[in-house]
Amino acid sequence: MALAGTRFLFVAGLAFGAASAYPAMAQDRSDLAPYAMLRSLQFVQDSVVRGDHSAAEMQRFMLETIDRRLRTADPSVFEDPRNVDAALIYAMSGGNPGTLEYLASRDLAGNFDSRVADALRKYLSGKGTLVAKSLAEMTEEYRDEKIGPYLALVSGNVSVVKDPEGALVFYDWARLTAPGTIIEEAALRRSVAIAVDANLVGQALSYSRKYARRFVHSPYASQFADFFVQLVVGHFGEIREEDIDGTLEFMDVDRRREVFLRIARAAAVAGKNDLARLASSKAEALGGNPTPEALARLYGGLADIPTNDIDAAMRAIADVPEEALSPRDRALRQAAQAVAEQVLSPPMVESLAQEMPVTMNNTEDANPQAASPRNEIAGPAPATEGPMAGTAANFDPAFQTFVDSGRSKLLAIDEMLKEESASK
């Protein structure tokens, strides 16, 4: 009971104390056992992935404090196996790798399992694949110990290169033995990525639902959103509307709208017009400020360009306010307008001979980092997006894909016209 009270006061002091008080607080608590301090770190890290982003600064402070405690601890402290586990878990939780090296080199009493310490040192130095087999064996051996879930996560990380589906087994093991923690969050997120890349649609959808239900407020949820959009756009048809709704229903309105907009944009660029219209209509139905509504109309209009009602589609795109679009979305609209104009214009003699290059105006503004509207789930925009030099070939890949798709349709029309002329 006394230990629990001490741990509570330590965490509470970190949560409510001023930053200037941290050094004094660390000094006052320097007598705490490493395993007690580690529990405070675990509490903070688990709070971060559950949505308390203000705890990130506290996490950095805790890592520094535990590092000092481990390095200054008397070797006899590690006669308690709980403190040995604390040192190993600290190293696997973003701690200083050099500290584990330091402790292992001073371990004359054999308190540390040298196999585990050596394997982790290699893993933390970027050589984990060299010890993948031994890590897997140690994960089995320590599966019921405190370090078990952490070793399972590490084993998954080193297995993913050569055996992605084998890595899923380790990640399943990690998340099931550490529910509600940063271990489960990391294991689920990486499982989604592996399943999407391996086209394991059913598993990817199952992992996605679990992640969206438990960790949608995590600061790492942006990565999950990227994987989920890739999954839906790449496998729409096998993935149905109710599957998408069933995954996103755990999110608040703003996050659902954001994901639908991202699906709509990716689908429009990929030529998945039915999906683009569906996602755009769902995003628009969720309402919100004018910018998401404008984006929903833009992506829906892009999807309608190949239809018979191309004039209405172009009017809808033209009505989207310029200020509501990011530079990349302005480029998409400009590409759509260029394609539509060429489709609607009557064929000329030149079109029967050779395709003419399409020159676009520079649409980048002075701030290349101006990103499309996003929230925490969308994540930050890339640090830089190179300025467009004035031609379609210099736009971002999404723009280029859209233009190339339009040109391929025009070339097919030209070929038909050639055949018709030859038959006459």
Side-chain angles (χ1 to χ4, degrees):
M1 185 70 179
L3 177 59
T6 300
R7 190 166 67 251
F8 173 79
L9 289 173
F10 184 68
V11 175
L14 289 177
F16 297 107
S20 59
Y22 284 176
M25 198 181 309
Q27 184 176 4
D28 292 342
R29 298 300 177 186
S30 60
D31 58 336
L32 280 177
Y35 77 85
M37 299 178 73
L38 179 77
R39 289 176 183 175
S40 296
L41 173 64
Q42 291 172 319
F43 174 84
V44 169
Q45 290 184 325
D46 296 343
S47 297
V48 170
V49 297
R50 287 196 293 262
D52 184 4
H53 300 175
S54 64
E57 183 62 34
M58 196 191 309
Q59 175 181 250
R60 285 189 286 272
F61 169 73
M62 287 296 305
L63 287 168
E64 294 170 1
T65 303
I66 295 174
D67 188 63
R68 286 193 297 270
R69 178 70 178 100
L70 290 172
R71 283 180 172 270
T72 58
D74 187 273
S76 62
V77 167
F78 298 103
E79 293 175 4
D80 186 339
R82 294 176 297 180
N83 291 327
V84 174
D85 288 345
L88 296 172
I89 292 172
Y90 161 80
M92 291 184 279
S93 300
N96 180 4
T99 297
L100 178 60
E101 181 79 34
Y102 172 77
L103 294 176
S105 66
R106 297 175 70 231
D107 179 34
L108 302 180
N111 294 316
F112 285 79
D113 185 333
S114 59
R115 300 170 304 149
V116 176
D118 183 62
L120 288 181
R121 289 203 301 271
K122 285 186 171 61
Y123 167 73
L124 294 170
S125 65
K127 301 176 182 177
T129 54
L130 300 178
V131 290
K133 182 179 179 180
S134 57
L135 271 172
E137 293 171 350
M138 285 181 279
T139 299
E140 174 70 26
E141 180 180 344
Y142 283 93
R143 65 180 302 171
D144 296 323
E145 305 295 332
K146 296 292 185 183
I147 64 172
Y150 293 86
L151 284 177
L153 187 67
V154 168
S155 293
N157 292 345
V158 300
S159 300
V160 68
V161 175
K162 295 183 178 180
D163 184 13
E165 294 190 38
L168 287 177
V169 175
F170 287 116
Y171 289 146
D172 287 345
W173 191 349
R175 65 184 181 83
L176 291 174
T177 53
T181 67
I182 192 172
I183 293 294
E184 184 189 13
E185 190 278 340
L188 267 177
R189 177 163 38 89
R190 293 167 190 177
S191 295
V192 173
I194 291 173
V196 170
D197 287 343
N199 294 318
L200 303 172
V201 178
Q203 286 180 265
L205 196 57
S206 176
Y207 289 132
S208 294
R209 286 173 179 154
K210 291 181 175 68
Y211 190 96
R213 183 167 58 246
R214 299 175 68 83
F215 297 108
V216 71
H217 297 289
S218 166
Y220 308 110
S222 173
Q223 295 179 19
F224 159 71
D226 290 337
F227 302 141
F228 184 69
V229 170
Q230 181 182 344
L231 173 68
V232 172
V233 174
H235 299 279
F236 186 63
E238 187 175 355
I239 290 179
R240 300 164 298 175
E241 179 181 350
E242 53 265 36
D243 295 324
I244 303 172
D245 291 338
T247 301
L248 302 187
E249 67 179 353
F250 304 107
M251 300 181 181
D252 57 53
V253 170
D254 289 339
R255 285 177 171 81
R256 285 207 308 276
R257 183 194 307 113
E258 175 66 25
V259 174
F260 278 129
L261 285 173
R262 294 175 68 174
I263 292 173
R265 188 184 196 278
V269 169
K272 304 289 183 69
N273 298 320
D274 290 341
L275 176 59
R277 281 190 289 270
L278 172 65
S280 297
S281 65
K282 286 183 174 292
E284 195 166 2
L286 290 171
N289 62 58
T291 296
E293 182 182 351
L295 291 176
R297 292 204 310 271
L298 172 65
Y299 302 147
L302 293 175
D304 287 335
I305 286 180
T307 67
N308 293 332
D309 204 5
I310 188 172
D311 289 320
M314 288 311 302
R315 285 195 299 272
I317 290 175
D319 288 342
V320 176
E322 185 81 4
E323 62 274 12
L325 302 179
S326 70
R328 296 175 70 224
D329 286 325
R330 291 174 198 154
L332 271 179
R333 178 166 70 173
Q334 193 176 9
Q337 290 170 332
V339 170
E341 288 170 1
Q342 293 190 47
V343 170
L344 292 173
S345 62
M348 298 179 294
V349 175
E350 291 83 353
S351 70
L352 299 176
Q354 183 177 353
E355 177 191 9
M356 300 298 290
V358 179
T359 301
M360 313 298 294
N361 295 324
N362 192 329
T363 60
E364 279 285 13
D365 56 21
N367 180 14
Q369 296 187 35
S372 58
R374 60 193 184 277
N375 51 33
E376 291 161 354
I377 200 169
T384 56
E385 293 178 14
M388 294 179 286
T391 64
N394 290 311
F395 281 100
D396 67 84
F399 174 93
Q400 189 64 52
T401 301
F402 195 98
V403 173
D404 290 344
S405 175
R407 284 181 174 173
S408 66
K409 291 183 176 64
L410 293 175
L411 287 173
I413 294 172
D414 287 346
E415 289 298 325
M416 292 174 63
L417 292 172
K418 288 179 184 179
E419 292 176 4
E420 186 176 347
S421 297
S423 65
K424 293 180 180 179

